[in-house]
Amino acid sequence: GKYLYRTSARLEDQLADGSAGPGSSVLVCPQRRFAFSAVPRADGLSHLRYLVREPVPDVVIERDVGNPPPFLQGYARHCEREMLHPELGRRYRQRRSRMHLLKGVPGTGKSFSILAFWNRMYAIMSSVTGVPVEELPYRVLRLEPGGVLDRWVGSSERNIARFLDEIAELAATPFVGPDGKEHELPVLVIAEEIDALARERGGDAIHDRIQSTLLTRLDSNLATYADRLVMFLFTTNTPQLVDPAFLPRAGGGSTTFDRMDRAT
């Protein structure tokens, strides 16, 4: 027979972002005629809204990036060391996750550097696991202000919470290589134009509330991320607008990108 169910806010979000649709399995309560949420498909990743399902970019640090910023090689070495010898970091009580803020005017190479690290991270994963790059699972999450900010403040807060939850879920998903060995693969988190979400508080009550939610969730998740191989890369064209309280939570490290001096 056919039945009419009320939908939860989570199921409405899943219907809106396409993670639930015709043919999806839904968790319901027949007595209350209430539908709670869509059940993830067998691959376990189809419900991740912010997962990037794109080919690895063909951007090589040594070939394509002029005067590479030091953090690129530093992040690459960190990923490789943590995959091959994780006990070294634990011996010196180093945090596994890394966070870095890339700042500078548009067109100075911030996004291009992120693509270069994305490529290098997959090259490292391929070398360690023995699996070709194109056969490795998706391990990149991207946050864009347009995908978070909503006319309803509550929806914006739920989007931020969901994004941070998806980071933790993906980071905890292991990968089993062809030899049967289980690997903990790194996760790259890209959040561009972070000033749209982490702008200095005091000017707008709505953005202040969104900013407070972001800071609170970062605080509550730092312990989880610290023990996971998660690489955060934030970008901003206007660093003066970023709230000072956000910078320590973003790791405190930053790189300034300037335009090349073309004077002769």
Side-chain angles (χ1 to χ4, degrees):
K2 295 183 179 180
Y3 301 94
L4 182 64
Y5 287 82
R6 296 190 301 274
T7 59
S8 67
R10 181 178 180 184
L11 181 55
E12 289 178 357
D13 289 342
Q14 292 174 321
L15 292 169
D17 64 27
S19 58
S24 297
S25 298
V26 179
L27 183 64
V28 303
C29 176
Q31 288 77 21
R32 296 164 56 192
R33 292 288 191 267
F34 194 82
F36 295 98
S37 65
V39 179
R41 296 183 178 89
D43 63 6
L45 298 178
S46 60
H47 64 291
L48 298 183
R49 179 193 301 178
Y50 300 97
L51 184 67
V52 180
R53 297 171 174 85
E54 301 173 2
V56 178
D58 184 23
V59 181
V60 180
I61 296 177
E62 294 79 6
R63 184 192 68 193
D64 302 316
V65 181
N67 190 24
F71 84 88
L72 286 178
Q73 298 294 355
Y75 268 37
R77 288 193 297 269
H78 177 73
C79 280
E80 187 171 25
R81 182 175 62 249
E82 286 294 331
M83 289 193 70
L84 292 173
H85 306 290
E87 70 281 357
L88 294 179
R90 307 296 75 70
R91 181 183 304 169
Y92 297 101
R93 298 182 180 180
Q94 294 182 351
R95 193 172 70 177
R96 303 193 73 194
S97 65
R98 290 288 186 271
M99 300 186 182
H100 204 78
L101 178 65
L102 285 58
K103 53 187 181 179
V105 297
T108 51
K110 301 186 298 297
S111 297
F112 199 71
S113 295
I114 291 177
L115 296 180
F117 176 73
W118 181 347
N119 179 285
R120 175 58 61 83
M121 187 181 81
Y122 265 79
I124 293 171
M125 291 192 294
S126 177
S127 175
V128 174
T129 63
V131 177
V133 168
E134 59 273 11
E135 296 180 16
L136 288 168
Y138 299 120
R139 301 292 290 185
V140 180
L141 294 159
R142 178 186 286 127
L143 178 68
E144 297 176 347
V148 173
L149 298 178
D150 191 275
R151 61 177 177 172
W152 306 111
V153 178
S155 295
S156 299
E157 294 175 331
R158 286 198 301 271
N159 290 338
I160 291 174
R162 175 169 181 166
F163 177 69
L164 296 174
D165 288 342
E166 289 187 6
I167 296 172
E169 181 178 349
L170 186 61
T173 303
F175 173 74
V176 179
D179 58 355
K181 183 178 180 181
E182 185 176 286
H183 300 272
E184 182 182 350
L185 300 181
V187 173
L188 173 60
V189 178
I190 304 170
E192 301 200 62
E193 300 180 13
I194 195 62
D195 48 276
L197 297 175
R199 67 175 59 180
E200 189 170 5
R201 288 167 291 181
D204 182 273
I206 294 177
H207 275 89
D208 287 356
R209 179 173 167 179
I210 295 173
Q211 164 76 320
S212 297
T213 299
L214 176 62
L215 295 178
T216 301
R217 285 303 305 265
L218 280 175
D219 279 338
S220 64
N221 283 275
L222 277 178
T224 301
Y225 299 145
D227 197 38
R228 296 292 184 184
L229 191 51
V230 183
M231 317 300 285
F232 292 84
L233 291 179
F234 305 99
T235 74
T236 178
N237 298 330
T238 53
Q240 69 275 10
L241 298 182
V242 178
D243 194 298
F246 175 79
L247 297 177
R249 293 167 174 83
S254 65
T255 296
T256 300
F257 288 73
D258 297 315
R259 296 191 185 279
M260 295 181 63
D261 185 2
R262 298 178 181 272
T264 57

